[in-house]
């Protein structure tokens, strides 16, 4: 239970760091912020506790970095920002100019059920895609990540 409280304390402080300093040097600052927690555990707990906390930190950082760098999540975020949950192909191309990569990703999103099959020039999120896109948008607000 102490580990969970420590980890959520770290996440709370990390969110504050992100809001104040931005996401530059994200991993380095995160590890710098984590080090006092590790020192505390080294003095008062076992190596297993340190290993568990480091495992949580790695999972947290992977999910954080993936949510900011994933093309699929960025596409869902852009589509979910529109009032109707739709975005024309021209608008999508303007935001993501890498045509070949974009087409392959859109086909995969449609195959996996994130996008609904529709008109050839419109991208419409399915209900699960809209839910995930909205979640990612809200998490980016919490972590103060801006989309370029």
């Amino acid at each position: 239970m102490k580990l969970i409280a420590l980890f959520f304390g770290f996440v709370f402080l990390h969110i504050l760091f992100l809001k104040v300093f931005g996401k530059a040097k994200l991993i380095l600052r995160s590890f710098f912020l984590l080090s006092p927690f590790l020192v505390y555990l080294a003095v008062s707990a076992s190596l297993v506790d340190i290993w568990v906390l480091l495992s949580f930190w790695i999972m947290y950082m992977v999910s954080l970095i993936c949510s900011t760098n994933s093309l699929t999540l960025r596409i869902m975020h852009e589509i979910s920002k529109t009032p109707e949950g739709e975005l024309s192909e021209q608008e999508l191309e303007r935001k993501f100019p890498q045509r070949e990569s974009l087409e392959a990703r859109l086909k995969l999103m449609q195959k996996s059920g994130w996008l609904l099959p529709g008109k050839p020039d419109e991208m419409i999120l399915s209900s699960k895609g809209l839910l995930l896109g909205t979640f990612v948008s809200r998490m980016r607000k919490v972590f103060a990540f801006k989309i370029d």
Side-chain angles (χ1 to χ4, degrees):
M1 193 65 174
K2 178 172 56 170
L3 274 177
I4 294 172
L6 278 173
F7 180 70
F8 282 114
F10 161 74
V11 170
F12 176 74
L13 288 174
H14 193 246
I15 290 171
L16 289 177
F17 259 57
L18 288 171
K19 291 209 178 266
V20 172
F21 299 112
K23 70 175 190 174
K25 300 181 183 174
L26 176 73
I27 295 173
L28 182 63
R29 286 185 180 166
S30 174
F31 194 74
F32 172 75
L33 186 62
L34 183 67
S35 58
F37 292 94
L38 293 174
V39 169
Y40 170 75
L41 284 177
V43 171
S44 67
S46 69
L47 288 176
V48 172
D49 291 338
I50 294 171
W51 180 81
V52 169
L53 185 64
L54 282 173
S55 298
F56 281 159
W57 176 73
I58 290 168
M59 288 186 292
Y60 168 73
M61 292 306 296
V62 165
S63 63
L64 193 63
I65 290 168
C66 286
S67 72
T68 61
N69 296 336
S70 168
L71 180 60
T72 301
L73 293 178
R74 289 186 69 163
I75 291 169
M76 286 185 199
H77 169 74
E78 289 298 326
I79 297 173
S80 69
K81 284 191 334 186
T82 63
E84 309 85 28
E86 298 178 11
L87 196 63
S88 72
E89 189 174 346
Q90 291 81 19
E91 292 173 42
L92 201 59
E93 278 185 40
R94 186 176 49 81
K95 292 177 187 274
F96 303 99
Q98 309 90 354
R99 185 69 187 158
E100 299 82 26
S101 173
L102 182 61
E103 283 181 9
R105 185 60 55 114
L106 290 172
K107 285 179 186 175
L108 185 61
M109 288 172 65
Q110 198 169 39
K111 183 179 177 184
S112 61
W114 296 107
L115 285 175
L116 295 174
K119 298 177 187 173
D121 64 336
E122 285 187 340
M123 309 301 140
I124 303 170
L125 285 176
S126 66
S127 58
K128 73 177 186 176
L130 191 57
L131 182 68
L132 183 61
T134 303
F135 175 76
V136 168
S137 297
R138 289 187 180 149
M139 290 309 294
R140 285 186 171 165
K141 285 181 186 174
V142 167
F143 289 105
F145 287 150
K146 295 193 178 12
I147 308 246
D148 300 331

